[in-house]
Amino acid sequence: MSEDCDDGELLALLEDDYARAILAATSAQPMSAERLSERCDASDSTIYRRVDRLKDHDLIDEQTRIDPDGHHYSVYVSRLQSLTVTFDDGDYRIDLQRRQPAEEDPADRFTRMWQDL
């Protein structure tokens, strides 16, 4: 998570039904935005907005997949493993555990390299 994101932003994001549905779905298997849209019963734009916010908080990874016909598309994978909120002595603490990111796919590496040019 970026240093300027606070606990309140994280909790507000996880309060969102679509964000939670995306994290749950992508914790089982990588999914495209189109598949997430069907699974979460949400518009594509809603899915992309939530995915962007989840990526900003490092809760989801984007990977590139290549179809046999050569076209490529993105799939998303949840990085959130667990979240614990502890209340003690009038304060609270958030403990966030993330899964390790997967090895970067060669196609993702090539795409990133191409975009950086």
Side-chain angles (χ1 to χ4, degrees):
M1 189 162 62
S2 65
E3 293 303 315
D4 59 344
C5 294
D6 65 14
D7 292 344
E9 290 177 34
L10 176 64
L11 292 174
L13 174 59
L14 295 176
E15 180 181 38
D16 182 80
D17 290 337
Y18 292 120
R20 288 193 316 273
I22 290 167
L23 287 169
T26 58
S27 70
Q29 65 184 23
M31 290 193 179
S32 67
E34 180 179 344
R35 179 75 176 109
L36 284 168
S37 179
E38 294 167 2
R39 177 92 179 248
C40 300
D41 193 27
S43 68
D44 289 346
S45 60
T46 297
I47 295 298
Y48 282 115
R49 278 193 305 269
R50 294 324 185 281
V51 163
D52 285 344
R53 289 182 64 203
L54 291 166
K55 284 175 20 183
D56 288 346
H57 286 78
D58 198 24
L59 298 177
I60 202 164
D61 276 339
E62 181 176 2
Q63 301 172 349
T64 302
R65 298 284 167 89
I66 300 176
D67 283 333
D69 63 3
H71 291 96
H72 67 280
Y73 62 98
S74 293
V75 294
Y76 304 97
V77 180
S78 174
R79 293 214 41 227
L80 181 60
Q81 184 171 343
S82 67
L83 176 83
T84 305
V85 181
T86 306
F87 295 90
D88 191 28
D89 282 335
D91 204 4
Y92 70 93
R93 193 184 95 218
I94 295 178
D95 182 30
L96 178 69
Q97 299 294 317
R98 292 181 177 87
R99 292 181 179 93
Q100 292 298 318
E103 290 279 328
E104 186 174 32
D105 183 29
D108 289 335
R109 191 170 40 251
F110 179 77
T111 301
R112 185 179 40 77
M113 184 178 69
W114 184 255
Q115 289 172 340
D116 290 344
L117 292 178

